[in-house]
Amino acid sequence: MPRLGIRLHGGLAPQHCVELAVAAEAHGFAAVWFAENPLERGALPALAACAVATRRIELGIGVWNPFLRHPAQIAMDASALDELAEGRLTLGIGAGLAAPIKRLGIDNKKTLAVLSDTFAIVRGLLAGETVTYKGRAFTVEDVKLSHKPSRPDLPILLAARGPKALALAAEVADGLMVSNMSPPGFTSWAAAIARPARLVQYAPCVVAADRETAMAAIKPVLAGLLTTFWTLGLKVPAAKASLVDHSGIPETDFAAAIAGPATALDERFIDAFAVAGTIEDCRARIAAYRAAGVTDLVLTFVGPDPVRDMARFSLRPAA
């Protein structure tokens, strides 16, 4: 089974993030990952609070976007957070969510150049080096962090979807991050290009005592994600391909599912894009992700009681 983590995000107050991170650690989860999207709550306050409130669990940034954070700022904050967490931080970098970033007046066309430059600058700074770098997107001259980073080999993952970004991940990253709404078939295809030593994937999750309860809870969440990612797919071919080409679901069925009520979503969509059902159902879906190459499956618990759902996995070692 892959290592299991939980995903937190800007829709949650920092205090609630701390509660969930503490519960995840108590229930034996390996990691807590923090998503940061434009104009939602920033991840820094919750990350810092969770670093202090926990002792063992890995803290993942998934992801920081160099269109919103200069590489030097990424290195500054990541180094300080890793120091606070006593070496438990993993940094994810990605440059997605083009539409909301454009609304901020930012030109985000040079995605690959931005990512390549960011990795070069951030790695150098975290290694304690004096960095002079002239890139296509970012240029720095004779810059160095004022303090010695506590962990110069802090792992940096790249969130990628298209073939060029996946190829870049193979060159510069310590691992690959795969977003929600990516079926195991896509993950297997992406892993063949990126060849990641570590592959972290997000998926929504509901686990319940009976399958019907879990299906009722996951469908509206999945319907919302499906609409968001289908809209993205109409503009970004790689996003559409990840939905259609690797799920086994015809394109016409996607359009019909989006047009209909959430309750009409059939189990093909749930099996392709979620981990839901009884604990036995969930373990079967987790095994499918593992077979696709996932080393770390990060679950967004979307049911009414996420702490109870965590407890159902019983990941704590026996006494």
Side-chain angles (χ1 to χ4, degrees):
M1 187 169 76
R3 289 172 14 119
L4 293 184
I6 70 165
R7 174 182 171 272
L8 304 177
H9 52 84
L12 303 172
Q15 295 89 335
H16 193 198
C17 289
V18 172
E19 294 170 4
L20 294 176
V22 169
E25 183 169 79
H27 289 298
F29 283 77
V32 180
W33 286 82
F34 295 78
E36 183 176 83
N37 296 323
L39 300 178
E40 294 183 354
R41 292 179 181 90
L44 266 173
L47 271 162
C50 290
V52 173
T54 59
R55 291 292 177 266
R56 173 196 58 80
I57 201 162
E58 177 186 14
L59 303 175
I61 299 170
V63 296
W64 276 346
N65 190 323
F67 285 112
L68 298 177
R69 291 176 181 268
H70 190 279
Q73 188 69 53
I74 290 175
M76 290 161 56
D77 290 337
S79 178
L81 280 167
D82 193 50
E83 188 175 25
L84 181 64
E86 299 180 325
R88 291 182 287 134
L89 188 74
T90 295
L91 172 60
I93 292 174
L97 299 174
I101 291 173
K102 284 182 179 179
R103 289 199 295 272
L104 298 174
I106 297 171
D107 181 357
N108 57 354
K109 294 177 182 177
K110 299 180 180 179
T111 301
L112 292 176
V114 163
L115 291 172
S116 180
D117 292 352
T118 298
F119 268 79
I121 294 168
V122 171
R123 280 204 189 278
L125 291 174
L126 291 178
E129 300 170 357
T130 299
V131 181
T132 294
Y133 178 89
K134 184 173 178 60
R136 291 185 292 158
F138 292 114
T139 295
V140 297
E141 184 176 351
D142 196 29
V143 296
K144 182 179 181 179
L145 294 179
S146 65
H147 61 285
K148 181 180 180 180
S150 58
R151 194 160 51 121
D153 59 348
L154 189 151
I156 310 176
L157 312 185
L158 175 60
R161 188 191 302 271
K164 291 182 179 179
L166 291 167
L168 179 64
E171 296 176 11
V172 303
D174 297 312
L176 175 67
M177 295 193 69
V178 175
S179 77
N180 284 309
M181 301 305 288
S182 298
F186 169 81
T187 304
S188 180
W189 171 82
I193 299 172
R195 305 188 306 277
R198 186 176 183 190
L199 201 167
V200 177
Q201 174 152 5
Y202 288 167
C205 177
V206 174
V207 57
D210 63 274
R211 186 173 176 81
E212 291 73 19
T213 298
M215 295 301 105
I218 197 68
K219 283 183 178 181
V221 174
L222 199 57
L225 286 169
L226 186 61
T227 299
T228 298
F229 278 79
W230 186 252
T231 301
L232 174 65
L234 295 178
K235 300 177 182 178
V236 181
K240 186 175 182 180
S242 69
L243 291 171
V244 178
D245 295 355
H246 302 282
S247 67
I249 302 172
E251 183 173 340
T252 53
D253 291 4
F254 275 94
I258 291 167
T263 53
L265 281 179
D266 62 50
E267 292 198 8
R268 294 174 302 164
F269 291 92
I270 297 168
D271 285 345
F273 301 115
V275 174
T278 65
I279 188 61
E280 291 78 16
D281 294 329
C282 291
R283 287 175 176 155
R285 296 313 305 155
I286 290 168
Y289 284 102
R290 177 57 181 167
V294 174
T295 62
D296 300 72
L297 187 62
V298 180
L299 304 174
T300 306
F301 286 99
V302 296
D305 191 343
V307 174
R308 181 190 61 193
D309 285 359
M310 288 184 218
R312 291 185 189 275
F313 280 89
S314 301
L315 296 171
R316 286 173 295 190

